[in-house]
Amino acid sequence: MTDQPQHGGYLRESASVEVMSYPTGQALTEDITSRDKPLILKGLISDWPVVEAGLSSPDDLFAYLSRFDRGAIVPVSVGSPELDGRIFYNDQFNASNVDHGNSRLSEVLRRVADAANEERGPLIYLASVGVDDVLPGFRDENDVPFGDLNPLASIWVGSRTRIAAHNDLPLNLACVAAGKRRFTLFPPDQTANLYVGPFEVTPAGRPISLVDFVDPDFETFPRFADALDNAIVADLEPGDALFIPSMWWHHVEAQSGFNILVNYWWRTVPAYLGTPQDVLNHAMMTIRDLPPAEREIWRDIFNHYVFDADEETASHIPEHAQGLLAPINGETARRTRSYLLSRLNR
């Protein structure tokens, strides 16, 4: 265990994420992308020109990014300094605590650069837009090679912000292009200890932990202490990257006045398989509120056909007649999706 800086009156002691030096410009290998635990790739993007510009000054960073600006209109969130950078819910839990709008990218960049040196400036946040859409040509000078993979590349720009713990289905390579960031990560099995909020209304599209990591309320959220026992922390400098496996919870603190993150998302399974989140949502509607005995029946059925399924599950059925019980391919997925739609629309 290593001591971490004090936040909100309590000392968080958490293990650190494993660190590896990785050659810049080298495609990520499968031993990296198949990991089941986070990994810091120290200095992975240290040769990016945008990193050099960010280390120079906010104005130099603004000038560098402006080279690629073609007048894109982007979504932006803004909030008062009193929020202390925390993007969360309003008091009624029916919307975010920040204001949302659209602006020219150049205006967002200028506002962040101007406020970068303020000790307690406004919250300004541009979240996850396609790099190629808003900064065409940027990746010609600033990119990570992925070999045969074709990840989705996004960019995040903002002032000092705190993003509540959430998880993502895709694999994630988060590259710190400017500013410093702290990721506090938890294994997927810590969901119950993170006190996750609503599914339908979320500040950023994914359910989030309701715990304020800077000032946690252990009376309201007592199991969060257990979550902290399982936390690992990644403190990232400009030029570093963090690999986050699928469904790991991560709380993100952008700690500098002008922060830029470029991240790459990808999955290793075909797109036609869809997303397990849809299954979870439907299962909550159809299974969760069944009588306990019936729910246990379906637990056994799911184990048999899904979680414990192997080559023996359908071996007693002729191969040509196995249908959905056989390994899924594109045609099976299309037929199944059509069948499900017909059932859901009844």
Side-chain angles (χ1 to χ4, degrees):
M1 305 289 279
T2 57
D3 290 346
Q4 299 298 332
Q6 189 166 337
H7 289 291
Y10 81 102
L11 184 63
R12 179 169 62 207
E13 295 183 352
S14 298
S16 297
V17 174
E18 181 183 348
V19 179
M20 173 187 291
S21 296
Y22 201 84
T24 59
Q26 178 174 309
L28 297 188
T29 54
E30 187 177 354
D31 63 315
I32 301 295
T33 59
S34 63
R35 287 176 57 92
D36 60 1
K37 293 183 179 180
L39 176 68
I40 295 173
L41 299 172
K42 190 68 180 174
L44 178 70
I45 64 163
S46 57
D47 61 342
W48 283 13
V50 68
V51 173
E52 180 180 355
L55 290 172
S56 177
S57 71
D59 285 338
D60 286 347
L61 181 57
F62 170 80
Y64 180 78
L65 294 172
S66 296
R67 289 177 42 203
F68 308 99
D69 180 25
R70 299 296 182 269
I73 303 297
V74 296
V76 61
S77 302
V78 295
S80 69
E82 285 68 31
L83 294 178
D84 194 26
R86 189 187 188 201
I87 298 177
F88 194 63
Y89 288 100
N90 62 13
D91 292 339
Q92 292 75 39
F93 271 72
N94 59 9
S96 175
N97 65 341
V98 296
D99 295 323
H100 301 284
N102 295 300
S103 177
R104 290 190 179 278
L105 175 62
S106 57
E107 295 175 3
V108 176
L109 296 175
R110 185 69 270 173
R111 290 182 65 187
V112 175
D114 288 345
N117 294 320
E118 295 183 23
E119 184 174 345
R120 197 165 183 234
L123 186 159
I124 307 168
Y125 188 57
L126 163 60
S128 190
V129 293
V131 177
D132 297 332
D133 295 330
V134 299
L135 294 172
F138 176 88
R139 289 175 65 196
D140 293 339
E141 300 181 8
N142 309 271
D143 204 9
V144 173
F146 275 84
D148 294 334
L149 295 173
N150 185 28
L152 174 67
S154 300
I155 191 168
W156 314 64
V157 180
S159 58
R160 293 177 178 85
T161 54
R162 294 189 281 130
I163 309 304
H166 62 283
N167 59 17
D168 299 300
L169 176 61
L171 304 174
N172 184 358
L173 183 71
C175 301
V176 180
K180 295 181 179 181
R181 286 193 186 242
R182 163 168 286 188
F183 285 74
T184 305
L185 303 109
F186 305 85
D189 64 7
Q190 291 302 302
T191 300
N193 294 331
L194 290 171
Y195 297 90
V196 180
F199 274 39
E200 294 88 347
V201 179
T202 70
R206 291 291 297 169
I208 65 169
S209 170
L210 301 186
V211 182
D212 184 347
F213 279 36
V214 167
D215 187 20
D217 181 349
F218 289 105
E219 291 188 5
T220 303
F221 308 115
R223 292 192 308 274
F224 183 61
D226 295 327
L228 288 176
D229 288 340
N230 292 275
I232 53 176
V233 172
D235 285 313
L236 304 175
E237 301 284 340
D240 295 342
L242 174 66
F243 172 72
I244 306 175
S246 175
M247 301 302 287
W248 272 70
W249 293 93
H250 49 286
H251 175 276
V252 189
E253 301 172 59
Q255 299 175 320
S256 303
F258 197 159
N259 302 275
I260 297 177
L261 186 79
V262 175
N263 81 310
Y264 300 85
W265 276 313
W266 72 99
R267 297 187 68 195
T268 57
V269 298
Y272 59 68
L273 290 182
T275 168
Q277 185 68 49
D278 293 336
V279 180
L280 176 61
N281 294 347
H282 195 226
M284 286 194 290
M285 181 181 75
T286 59
I287 297 176
R288 185 194 59 199
D289 295 336
L290 291 175
E294 292 185 36
R295 199 165 61 239
E296 286 303 310
I297 291 170
W298 282 101
R299 185 197 303 273
D300 289 339
I301 291 175
F302 265 73
N303 283 338
H304 178 72
Y305 285 109
V306 180
F307 298 109
D308 298 332
D310 57 23
E311 63 277 2
E312 298 296 321
T313 303
S315 61
H316 56 286
I317 303 173
E319 188 173 334
H320 71 274
Q322 289 179 1
L324 189 59
L325 297 176
I328 303 298
N329 57 33
E331 178 57 31
T332 309
R334 283 189 291 272
R335 289 200 311 267
T336 305
R337 188 172 290 109
S338 177
Y339 172 74
L340 290 174
L341 286 171
S342 69
R343 297 287 297 176
L344 290 170
N345 289 329
R346 292 177 64 178

